[in-house]
Amino acid sequence: MCGIIGYNGFRDANKVLIDGLKRLEYRGYDSSGISVIDKKQQIFKEVGEIKELEKNLPDFKGSIGVSHTRWSTHGAVTKANAHPHLSTNKKIAVVHNGIIENFQKLRENLTKKGYKFLSNTDSEVLAHLIEDNYKGNLQKAIFNALKKVEGYYAIVVTSTDEPDKIVGARKDSPLVVGVGDNENFLASDITAFLKYTNRVIYLEDKELCVITKKDITIYDENYKTVDKEINLIDWDISDAEKSGFAHFMLKEIYDQPDTVNNVLRGRVSEVDQYIEFAEKVEKELKPDLDSIHIIACGTSFYSGLVAKYMIEKIADIPVSVELSSEYRYFGTKKENSLVIAITQSGETLDTLAALKEAKNSGCQTLAITNVIGSTVTRLADAYILTQSGPEIGVAATKTFTSQIIILFLVALKLAIKKGTITSDELYNYILNVKELPKQIRQVLEKSDEIEKIAETLKHAHSVFFIGRGINYPIALEGALKLKEISYIHAEGFAAGELKHGPFALLTKETPVIAIATKDFTYDKILANIGEVKARGPQVIAIADETDTEIEKHADFVLRYPTNQTILTSIPITVTLQLLAYHVANLRGCSIDKPRNLAKSVTVE
Ligand code: M6R
């Protein structure tokens, strides 16, 4: 949580920093601040969204500075607790993302030494601690100060004593260097500086980086300088902008025909009958795996549940799916099993911690992520990129469908290696997966129709989503999307479970969204719809376009294009994403930045 950016170059720092903060706002948006050096630290903070900071920001002169957008962990949402924090002598400015676990002890010691604290945050100790260690060299002071710190951090620091440099350091929180011409950047995320450069250096844990206008120097954990590779990013700045859509979430829903094509590009061929990943990934996908354990949080967890159905059905390998926060402490870590971590951001702390546990127990590990260079890509033995471009809306959409398709390809690959699939089956699966971009477009064309149904939901207090088999996790995801952005209480259930308790909550004021697929569960779901209707609620069915029966059972029907059941989860998901979006929009909610949430959860 929290977004940080530092700039050192020839442009107006105010402008670059505000622009960068707006692109990082999805990481936190309760307060923000900026400091720009012009002989002294010129500092300004505001509570609320970045637009409040921008509106009131004084016209600071200078081309070197740091800024921060906050998602509070320690200390209330106040100007004093917003970053940057200044050292007692007002020369050093620090922005921080992470948690300093021993901050109380450090604060007591620094207070005894006469340092003056102005906030209740853990982060402020860093500013005073760096001042306490300062002997004429900022990076050395930071290096020594960080030796005393327990917890995790990405920090970016300036000092008026050395006004030509910015220093950054990271441990378990993301920080990347943007390499420009006569200007350089440090930020939580590439999107913050993508407008100016697509050349990036990824910092490892405990590395420290000094940027001047022209030079970049990186130190390892022993304070030895290291050479690092500059990576070229093929994301376009338009990917990180709304391109005329009212919200990032809507744009990202509409990106999906392209993102699905990107996932498939170069990885599948029905003619040559192959599924291809990088060599390192292929090595992890062994045919004799005893089991697969998937770990993830939130929406990524639901794509893991979808994958369980796919891998068990196609490749006949048992799969368990666990929440990272649980697996981390309680999960079984077995030999000859593969642990797959799914994380859009590649920075979710619980998932990283669970993955470390798995590695330490000797498991082989594979990550599925959207962010090249993210921590998970360096932690796992191998990784697969979802190649969806930046996802800015807090609600995950395009990365969810990409994760599912990657996992579908993993299932096919394992099935080929194990010999559990015939070549005809493989041919058909690949043909059908390639149909998805077209089918998603067909769903997107129904947006107005979906909006009309959303009208019927906009005043609901509670909405149920039901599905069977692979559509059970899709129901869970549909409910998560709705609750996350519209603030309507929503729950997803395996349809057969309703009568084991949740029925008690059903009244005619509780609309039920029922996912009906034309497979062997169809009659069962019709029976479930009947049970629901008998208790009064309205039922909205999400049904196959060829289904001639469903109208007799449901009050409203939204149709999805026919495909194999295992793949219909994609068009059904897009339907539910649009439904959640329209309900939230009709209710006037803050769709891209829902209250109390942040895009990437880098705290436990
Ligand atoms: O970056 P990750 O995939 O690890 O994030 C996991 C969850 O925090 C995330 O999916 C969250 O549930 C989304 N906001 C849901 O839309």
Side-chain angles (χ1 to χ4, degrees):
M1 332 291 249
C2 303
I4 58 183
I5 171 165
Y7 175 70
N8 193 356
F10 54 86
R11 303 173 203 266
D12 178 354
N14 257 9
K15 282 210 177 69
V16 177
L17 294 174
I18 286 288
D19 187 56
L21 282 184
K22 283 186 191 159
R23 293 174 199 284
L24 293 178
E25 197 170 14
Y26 68 90
R27 300 181 66 89
Y29 32 84
D30 62 37
S31 53
S32 54
I34 196 165
S35 73
V36 174
I37 293 187
D38 182 17
K39 295 193 186 67
K40 62 181 180 98
Q41 295 281 7
Q42 311 168 92
I43 186 160
F44 186 73
K45 309 182 195 187
E46 201 53 277
V47 166
E49 296 186 11
I50 309 291
K51 58 182 184 225
E52 300 305 318
L53 181 79
E54 184 179 25
K55 199 163 68 194
N56 303 316
L57 184 67
D59 184 20
F60 294 151
K61 298 288 172 235
S63 54
I64 175 166
V66 297
S67 61
H68 185 275
T69 178
R70 180 167 186 245
W71 188 88
S72 58
T73 50
H74 285 86
V77 179
T78 62
K79 277 193 196 186
N81 287 341
H83 302 215
H85 293 290
L86 290 183
S87 54
T88 303
N89 64 11
K90 308 274 181 259
K91 291 180 174 181
I92 296 167
V94 177
V95 289
H96 168 230
N97 171 25
I99 290 182
I100 308 301
E101 284 161 355
N102 59 338
F103 85 97
Q104 287 291 14
K105 203 156 156 240
L106 291 169
R107 186 177 171 132
E108 276 163 34
N109 291 342
L110 288 161
T111 306
K112 276 186 206 144
K113 287 182 168 183
Y115 290 97
K116 296 272 175 296
F117 281 79
L118 303 177
S119 79
N120 303 318
T121 65
D122 55 330
S123 310
E124 193 188 351
V125 294
L126 293 169
H128 305 296
L129 194 62
I130 295 168
E131 181 185 339
D132 196 48
N133 283 272
Y134 190 77
K135 295 189 181 80
N137 179 314
L138 185 59
Q139 60 267 35
K140 189 84 205 189
I142 293 171
F143 179 77
N144 287 329
L146 290 176
K147 282 193 212 157
K148 296 167 189 140
V149 162
E150 287 162 26
Y152 40 100
Y153 52 78
I155 57 169
V156 181
V157 186
T158 55
S159 167
T160 51
D161 278 343
E162 296 171 75
D164 58 334
K165 66 167 77 151
I166 299 184
V167 184
R170 66 158 284 182
K171 179 176 166 275
D172 295 329
S173 290
L175 190 65
V176 285
V177 185
V179 185
D181 294 321
N182 289 320
E183 59 180 346
N184 291 306
F185 307 78
L186 273 162
S188 305
D189 185 327
I190 298 158
T191 50
F193 51 69
L194 194 56
K195 186 170 168 184
Y196 307 102
T197 182
N198 65 346
R199 290 182 292 152
V200 172
I201 299 174
Y202 300 110
L203 296 178
E204 298 296 331
D205 270 352
K206 297 196 183 162
E207 281 183 344
L208 191 141
C209 170
V210 181
I211 64 168
T212 64
K213 285 180 179 42
K214 288 190 186 303
D215 296 310
I216 295 167
T217 315
I218 295 166
Y219 298 84
D220 69 10
E221 59 181 298
N222 300 313
Y223 205 64
K224 296 249 172 335
T225 54
V226 279
D227 287 333
K228 304 270 296 191
E229 185 192 349
I230 298 181
N231 301 271
L232 283 187
I233 299 299
D234 62 2
W235 289 356
D236 197 271
I237 186 62
S238 64
D239 291 331
E241 287 173 348
K242 280 193 228 158
S243 313
F245 285 92
H247 297 96
F248 278 113
M249 182 184 177
L250 191 61
K251 172 188 177 277
E252 287 155 6
I253 291 172
Y254 275 78
D255 279 347
Q256 288 174 109
D258 293 335
T259 52
V260 170
N261 272 326
N262 282 346
V263 174
L264 297 174
R265 188 163 298 129
R267 286 179 173 146
V268 288
S269 164
E270 73 277 16
V271 182
D272 300 323
Q273 297 254 303
Y274 70 74
I275 306 288
E276 207 164 78
F277 295 112
E279 206 186 311
K280 269 185 147 184
V281 175
E282 299 273 342
K283 264 205 256 157
E284 299 305 328
L285 302 177
K286 295 189 207 115
D288 60 343
L289 286 172
D290 290 341
S291 58
I292 293 178
H293 300 283
I294 296 181
I295 50 175
C297 303
T299 289
S300 295
F301 174 70
Y302 297 146
S303 75
L305 290 177
V306 171
K308 176 180 164 68
Y309 287 88
M310 293 175 157
I311 297 172
E312 289 184 345
K313 179 179 159 70
I314 303 176
D316 196 23
I317 299 174
V319 179
S320 72
V321 191
E322 286 187 63
L323 291 165
S324 309
S325 52
E326 291 293 309
Y327 181 87
R328 174 178 185 183
Y329 298 109
F330 309 108
T332 43
K333 290 105 193 165
K334 287 198 196 132
E335 269 181 38
N336 204 29
S337 67
L338 174 68
V339 172
I340 304 183
I342 310 173
T343 164
Q344 180 282 131
S345 60
E347 302 294 349
T348 298
L349 191 112
D350 281 325
T351 301
L352 296 178
L355 189 64
K356 280 183 197 161
E357 289 295 327
K359 271 195 92 170
N360 292 342
S361 311
C363 300
Q364 289 304 114
T365 55
L366 171 68
I368 296 175
T369 185
N370 191 39
V371 183
I372 184 167
S374 58
T375 306
V376 84
T377 61
R378 293 193 295 271
L379 207 59
D381 296 311
Y383 64 88
I384 308 176
L385 292 173
T386 45
Q387 297 174 177
S388 308
E391 187 176 71
I392 310 292
V394 164
T397 50
K398 60 179 177 176
T399 54
F400 177 67
T401 46
S402 295
Q403 288 167 354
I404 291 176
I405 291 168
I406 292 279
L407 288 155
F408 175 68
L409 300 186
V410 165
L412 291 182
K413 183 81 211 184
L414 286 166
I416 296 169
K417 288 191 179 181
K418 277 192 75 180
T420 56
I421 193 169
T422 65
S423 100
D424 277 358
E425 282 167 341
L426 179 63
Y427 182 83
N428 281 327
Y429 274 132
I430 300 179
L431 272 193
N432 282 308
V433 80
K434 286 188 166 176
E435 279 291 289
L436 288 173
K438 187 177 94 201
Q439 299 195 326
I440 294 172
R441 259 180 237 113
Q442 288 167 358
V443 174
L444 297 175
E445 281 161 16
K446 291 175 190 264
S447 183
D448 291 348
E449 196 188 320
I450 296 172
E451 189 176 6
K452 283 198 193 112
I453 305 279
E455 282 281 354
T456 69
L457 295 177
K458 71 177 181 197
H459 297 305
H461 291 293
S462 183
V463 179
F464 282 12
F465 290 70
I466 58 171
R468 282 178 174 263
I470 201 162
N471 293 313
Y472 165 43
I474 299 299
L476 294 171
E477 169 62 5
L480 177 61
K481 283 298 85 99
L482 186 69
K483 72 179 106 171
E484 190 175 23
I485 60 168
S486 75
Y487 313 143
I488 294 175
H489 171 256
E491 293 299 331
F493 297 104
E497 274 299 293
L498 281 185
K499 50 177 116 33
H500 298 287
F503 260 177
L505 294 173
L506 269 191
T507 68
K508 58 181 186 350
E509 269 78 50
T510 320
V512 176
I513 319 277
I515 305 172
T517 34
K518 290 288 267 173
D519 56 21
F520 69 96
T521 66
Y522 184 68
D523 289 342
K524 307 273 173 210
I525 199 92
L526 287 190
N528 296 136
I529 292 174
E531 290 160 1
V532 166
K533 293 268 327 147
R535 282 149 186 90
Q538 288 207 311
V539 172
I540 299 159
I542 316 288
D544 190 296
E545 64 191 355
T546 61
D547 186 340
T548 49
E549 179 83 357
I550 194 78
E551 244 104 20
K552 291 180 219 146
H553 301 265
D555 299 281
F556 304 98
V557 181
L558 287 169
R559 306 265 175 189
Y560 60 82
T562 308
N563 204 321
Q564 287 164 330
T565 302
I566 212 161
L567 290 171
T568 50
S569 41
I570 301 291
I572 295 170
T573 295
V574 178
T575 307
L576 296 180
Q577 291 169 348
L578 279 173
L579 190 64
Y581 172 81
H582 285 305
V583 173
N585 201 29
L586 291 167
R587 286 163 67 90
C589 296
S590 167
I591 290 178
D592 287 331
K593 291 172 275 172
R595 71 180 173 217
N596 301 336
L597 297 180
K599 181 74 180 162
S600 141
V601 183
T602 55
V603 290
E604 188 174 4

